[in-house]
């Protein structure tokens, strides 16, 4: 985009040439009085001589920034989305500011993020798995900042484009696949309660069973929180049932890995003694032993689409389809085994 | 930092109030001629009325940006570092621009990143596992941009602060621990050749063995590339040896997970039939089955320290210790088992 332009002179280079610190140059630029007159004059002369361009000033095209905001940067999940967003925005000459607002920690954190966002004059924001409540939504509207939400945590009833994955359909496909492999007693480990995608995956599991004429056994549905520990606990509980499942579908890869460990501790081999299927297709799924069969959410693709949608909003274009769900797909690896006739329960 | 300030008026809000697109407002701000005179006047009036602050202009404190640069955003590794950098810079009121320069892909990509960096007037940059070659170093010096390198890929002979981990000591500790558990035939899977930390870990393995009076058997040392597939290949080769190792130390967690899968495919259980130890302590290590014993690199701590060091450089302070290695430590989980007397080789 800017391949033939001379690199801009920075505050650091002025500071270096003037033999002063960067904060001193900033003080001069900001018109503050706590700078010795001789120093001020030297810096101002250099600013003119070097042709210093102020950020976003009339001489230079503003170097666009987009905020990519996570609740917490605590999952390998995040890097997949960052990659997709970064690639798409980079191609448009925009840069990605990544931040974590730790919303569950404190309301101050959201307030602080909003202040920084406006001070920086960001061109737009992509929020990830955020419960876009009315406070946050009102503040963003007040800033007239284009916003796109990836994987909305709550029901997307506010007027903001959202990019998700086909959580319900993916869960149907996972369940259908296990049924095709002759499994009938299929355990389910649910995602964090209160999050939209958790409900969609649970509903998809139920729909898949019912479509095959299999009644949902509430004993086989166990709560979880998307993380490894909750998958381990759920796996242990499901495998302790008198009539234990022959397959477990966990609503996240991390929980599926917890199920692996619960099975190992009970002396059960995967897939010989228990089939397991996950959801997400994080890189970890392929590194599991045995490699995990899972439902792929196109996380980096969701990042890319969110970025492209945001760019259209920044350019003042309208988005015809404000709620998009990208397709999930089954990725077959080695954690599911077909039951033989001797293992089958009577149909 | 800026909690009591009114949020700045953005280009978007001006565009919205004027009923024009954001690019139109940008054109007015940039003094371009392709705007209808009436539109220009309306926009300029609003810019004055709303008190629009240009980025970095004298009315507003510049909202500082720091670049965090990866070769590729392809590892769960990255999110750990991003978290550490983001927390530390956020506390200083600075924002983190994350980018991938795909240096192995093309030289153009580095050039393009440098151009964007200077156009954005970034206050500094943190480079991760970068081979800071003389071209890149010269360009960054030309921009007078403070730079810190995390986990330098090459010998850090250039005049730039680096933050690493005690790779050599960590590898000694891993090897000593296996020896304490009575292992004598200890395989080693090396990291990507040509990278400094790979050499340090190999040397630490050798030093640990030699300190215990165990000769290094070249047959037990296998090349790797840090990734899962190379760990799998190395594990398969080591386990196919006539006199196979009782323990394998892999120079990354991902390779250790590849060794897990190689063992599983040969019908070997971990830790009963084979002990495995990794290096990194990515979240994945705790999610393995069995959970992986490993050497913890404080990745988010390295990010935090790099950020704090950079802030000092930005403020014109000097850094007394330009090369810092943060301590690694052994994290014991369930993948190493002590050999009983019957399993031991004669000392």
């Amino acid at each position: 985009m800017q391949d033939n332009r001379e690199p801009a002179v920075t505050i650091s280079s002025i500071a270096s040439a003037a033999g002063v610190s960067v904060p001193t140059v900033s003080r001069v630029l900001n018109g503050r009085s706590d700078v010795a007159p001789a120093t001020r004059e030297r810096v101002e002369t250099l600013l003119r001589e070097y042709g210093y361009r102020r950020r976003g000033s009339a001489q230079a095209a503003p170097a666009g920034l987009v905020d990519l905001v996570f609740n917490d940067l605590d999952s390998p999940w995040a890097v997949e989305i960052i990659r997709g967003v970064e690639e798409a925005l980079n191609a448009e000459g925009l840069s990605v500011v990544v931040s974590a607002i730790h919303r569950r920690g404190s309301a101050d954190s959201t307030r602080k993020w909003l202040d920084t966002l406006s001070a920086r004059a960001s061109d737009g924001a992509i929020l990830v798995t955020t419960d876009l409540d009315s406070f946050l939504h009102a503040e963003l509207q007040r800033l007239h900042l284009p916003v796109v939400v990836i994987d909305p945590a709550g029901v997307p009833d506010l007027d903001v484009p959202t990019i998700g994955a086909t959580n319900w359909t993916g869960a149907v496909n996972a369940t259908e696949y296990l049924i095709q492999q002759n499994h009938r007693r299929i355990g389910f480990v649910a995602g964090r309660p209160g999050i939209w995608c958790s409900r969609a995956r649970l509903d998809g599991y139920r729909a898949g069973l019912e479509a095959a004429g299999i009644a949902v056994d509430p004993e086989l549905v166990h709560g979880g929180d998307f993380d490894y520990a909750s998958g381990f606990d759920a796996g242990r509980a499901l495998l302790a049932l008198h009539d234990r499942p022959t397959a477990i579908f966990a609503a996240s890869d991390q929980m599926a890995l917890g199920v692996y460990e619960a099975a190992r501790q009970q002396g059960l081999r995967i897939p010989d003694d228990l089939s397991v299927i996950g959801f997400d297709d994080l890189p970890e799924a392929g590194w599991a032993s045995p490699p995990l069969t899972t439902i792929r959410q196109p996380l980096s693709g969701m990042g890319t689409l969110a970025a492209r949608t945001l760019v259209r909003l920044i350019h003042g274009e309208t988005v015809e389809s404000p709620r998009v769900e990208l397709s999930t797909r089954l990725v077959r690896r080695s954690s599911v085994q077909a039951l033989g006739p001797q293992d089958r329960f009577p149909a």
Side-chain angles (χ1 to χ4, degrees), chain A residues 81-321:
Chain A
I81 290 181
I82 294 171
R83 186 173 68 241
V85 170
E86 195 273 338
E87 281 179 7
L89 291 180
N90 188 266
E92 299 280 342
L94 292 165
S95 299
V96 187
V97 175
V98 173
S99 39
I101 57 175
H102 313 288
R103 295 197 74 217
R104 267 168 276 163
S106 81
D108 282 359
S109 168
T110 303
R111 179 76 259 166
K112 190 174 162 200
W113 170 69
L114 285 164
D115 289 342
T116 310
L117 188 74
S118 58
R120 211 194 297 119
S122 194
D123 292 319
I126 297 172
L127 310 181
V128 184
T129 321
T130 298
D131 192 2
L132 186 62
D133 57 27
S134 45
F135 164 72
L136 185 55
H137 187 242
E139 290 295 304
L140 291 169
Q141 281 205 313
R142 202 162 66 84
L143 295 172
H144 295 277
L145 196 77
V147 170
V148 174
V149 177
I150 292 179
D151 191 30
V155 189
D157 58 353
L158 297 167
D159 180 27
V160 163
T162 62
I163 312 290
T166 55
N167 289 297
W168 184 85
T169 308
V172 170
N173 294 343
T175 310
E176 280 175 345
Y177 176 64
L178 292 171
I179 295 168
Q180 282 161 17
Q181 307 300 309
N182 302 320
H183 292 276
R184 293 293 175 272
R185 279 196 68 73
I186 300 172
F188 181 74
V189 187
R192 185 176 305 148
I195 294 188
W196 203 227
C197 69
S198 300
R199 176 59 192 262
R201 293 176 198 174
L202 174 59
D203 285 352
Y205 158 78
R206 288 180 175 142
L209 288 177
E210 287 170 8
I214 302 171
V216 175
D217 180 351
E219 192 178 63
L220 289 177
V221 176
H222 201 283
D225 195 32
F226 282 134
D227 64 7
Y228 175 89
S230 69
F232 175 74
D233 292 344
R236 200 154 56 168
L238 290 169
L239 295 175
L241 291 175
H242 175 68
D243 186 8
R244 66 173 172 81
T246 60
I248 293 178
F249 169 26
S252 77
D253 287 348
Q254 287 183 44
M255 294 196 298
L257 297 179
V259 171
Y260 269 47
E261 178 61 5
R264 190 188 70 89
Q265 291 190 9
Q266 297 194 28
L268 301 174
R269 289 158 307 157
I270 295 166
D272 312 67
D273 304 316
L274 177 72
S275 289
V276 178
I277 188 165
F279 202 109
D280 281 338
D281 197 31
L282 296 179
E284 288 76 350
W287 305 338
S289 185
L292 179 68
T293 293
T294 191
I295 300 295
R296 180 172 177 77
Q297 272 203 87
L299 293 170
S300 68
M302 287 157 67
T304 302
L305 182 60
R308 291 194 182 138
T309 303
L310 188 68
V311 167
R312 298 188 57 185
L313 295 176
I314 290 171
H315 290 169
E317 296 170 33
T318 52
V319 174
E320 23 338 288
S321 180

